[in-house]
Amino acid sequence: MTEKLVIIDTDCGIDDAQALMMALAAPNVQILGLTCVHGNTSVENVCQNVLRVLSVCEREGIPVFRGAAGPLIGASNPSSDHFGGDGLGDVIEDRDPQWEKKIQREHAASAMIRLVSENQKQVSLVALGPLTNLALAVRLDPGFPQKLRDLYIMGGNMEGKGNVTLCSEFNFAMDPESAYVVLEEYLCPTYIASWEYACRNPLTWEFFEELINQDFAAARFMKLITSKCWAYSKEAMKTKRDVYFGPGFVSYDSYAMAACIDSSVVTDSITCPVRVELQGALGRGMMVLDRINALKKNHCVTVMTTCDLVKFGRLLMESLRQPCKR
């Protein structure tokens, strides 16, 4: 199997951690760098969370870069408490006081540009958080997107059903301007795992129990960080997500990562132009699918709709059978 070069941009909460471990366990993936962005928690916490995941998986050699601490314009939005104040369920007590020394000095956006320029048309960029670092990268180097092999995004919504505002999904709502810039200016092949895609392709809670109770270091870590988090409570999620989509365990960011690792995980999709709404009082941050070509855009993206849950579940199971030394 041909090795894929990957950069992962993350606002490392619990589902990001799961997605990172999926990439770390994949034999066909070489991670060139991990770039950190605000989102689920502060960018400082994100950096520490990424370092923690790498430590659990014994992969500390992968460089980690600190990026944007807030959106492209305007004041910073308060971070979500969906995964706890620190992004990993508020259960980790032994924080590393030396963590800043382990972060690269280079800014995340500059690191993206450099790593991709050194490996043109070979790097897949996987964006799991707000798209601020990606917007900064294209502002610093307008030719950056055309140097990418492809782009995978977890974010956006297809039907105006929001999870933090009435009509928008969290990652896009946290920085609508950056989401707009990326979906207008990144003309490389682009694949989007929307909120609806994740929610409509859930796994069972019985699968989740089997997943976190494997006798491996990574599984024990995942069991710890989900232990007190309401987002991983079967009962709590009945009132939060089932209003629209029905019951089940959903590891949101893992859907985008799985598509990057194995494209056959995605069994159906929509290909069309998209645009992010910036002006609407209710719709700001909402992703609009242009299925009638009203926008007259030349660039289309692939919006995932259906997932092979057997293959997806297998990737999740393998992701927690770590450490996987290299």
Side-chain angles (χ1 to χ4, degrees):
M1 188 178 295
T2 304
E3 190 171 59
K4 296 191 75 170
L5 303 183
V6 174
I7 296 171
I8 302 171
D9 189 67
T10 175
D11 62 336
C12 196
I14 294 174
D15 60 337
D16 301 72
Q18 177 71 79
L20 294 183
M21 289 189 283
M22 182 183 285
L24 291 168
N28 64 318
V29 168
Q30 178 187 347
I31 302 174
L32 297 179
L34 296 166
T35 55
C36 301
V37 68
H38 70 101
N40 283 312
T41 184
S42 69
V43 73
E44 291 78 16
N45 281 339
V46 170
C47 291
Q48 294 176 71
N49 294 348
V50 169
L51 290 172
R52 173 69 62 151
V53 172
L54 292 178
S55 175
V56 167
C57 297
E58 299 186 8
R59 299 288 296 280
E60 293 96 332
I62 297 173
V64 179
F65 304 89
R66 177 164 27 188
L72 193 63
I73 64 171
S76 297
N77 299 316
S79 298
S80 167
D81 65 351
H82 188 73
F83 298 127
D86 69 351
L88 291 184
D90 296 322
V91 294
I92 297 175
E93 298 178 357
D94 56 332
R95 291 275 173 176
D96 183 359
Q98 303 297 316
W99 70 269
E100 287 191 273
K101 296 180 180 179
K102 300 176 182 179
I103 301 296
Q104 303 296 310
R105 292 180 179 271
E106 187 178 14
H107 190 277
S110 296
M112 283 181 182
I113 293 168
R114 176 179 57 81
L115 291 168
V116 170
S117 295
E118 292 170 354
N119 301 277
Q120 293 194 32
K121 298 292 187 180
Q122 299 179 62
V123 178
S124 296
L125 177 54
V126 183
L128 305 178
L131 299 177
T132 316
N133 287 337
L134 279 69
L136 289 173
V138 74
R139 286 292 175 262
L140 290 168
D141 178 5
F144 172 70
Q146 67 192 42
K147 300 173 188 175
L148 287 168
R149 172 177 173 173
D150 44 32
L151 169 63
Y152 293 82
I153 297 171
M154 191 283 133
N157 55 337
M158 297 184 287
E159 301 164 5
K161 299 173 181 177
N163 61 357
V164 290
T165 68
L166 184 62
C167 294
S168 63
E169 175 274 337
F170 176 81
N171 284 342
F172 282 23
M174 288 292 284
D175 191 348
E177 278 72 23
S178 286
Y180 180 92
V181 166
V182 169
L183 291 179
E184 294 296 315
E185 300 184 27
Y186 277 64
L187 303 184
C188 57
T190 300
Y191 306 90
I192 299 177
S194 70
W195 186 53
E196 292 98 334
Y197 172 66
C199 290
R200 287 215 172 93
N201 291 277
L203 293 162
T204 66
W205 286 106
E206 290 75 17
F207 174 90
F208 174 69
E209 291 298 325
E210 182 182 355
L211 178 72
I212 63 172
N213 283 299
Q214 299 181 92
D215 189 20
F216 296 93
R220 290 190 289 272
F221 175 69
M222 185 56 61
K223 186 173 185 177
L224 171 67
I225 63 178
T226 58
S227 61
K228 297 181 180 179
C229 181
W230 69 267
Y232 287 85
S233 164
K234 180 178 179 180
E235 296 304 315
M237 291 310 289
K238 281 185 178 180
T239 61
K240 184 72 174 178
R241 189 178 59 82
D242 293 2
V243 173
Y244 291 136
F245 299 110
F249 158 61
V250 178
S251 180
Y252 297 95
D253 290 328
S254 299
Y255 290 87
M257 187 63 69
C260 177
I261 293 170
D262 181 0
S263 61
S264 70
V265 168
V266 182
T267 57
D268 201 5
S269 60
I270 298 167
T271 300
C272 67
V274 299
R275 177 158 288 166
V276 176
E277 172 61 41
L278 295 181
Q279 303 303 323
L282 298 178
R284 177 170 159 78
M286 179 176 67
M287 182 175 70
V288 179
L289 274 62
D290 178 15
R291 303 183 72 172
I292 60 172
N293 198 29
L295 297 173
K296 306 301 181 186
K297 292 177 67 174
N298 293 324
H299 179 60
C300 293
V301 305
T302 299
V303 182
M304 307 170 203
T305 57
T306 310
C307 178
D308 184 325
L309 291 178
V310 173
K311 290 183 178 179
F312 180 60
R314 188 180 304 126
L315 286 172
L316 280 172
M317 280 292 179
E318 291 171 353
S319 73
L320 298 190
R321 292 170 182 165
Q322 304 228 28
C324 180
K325 294 183 181 179
R326 294 190 184 180

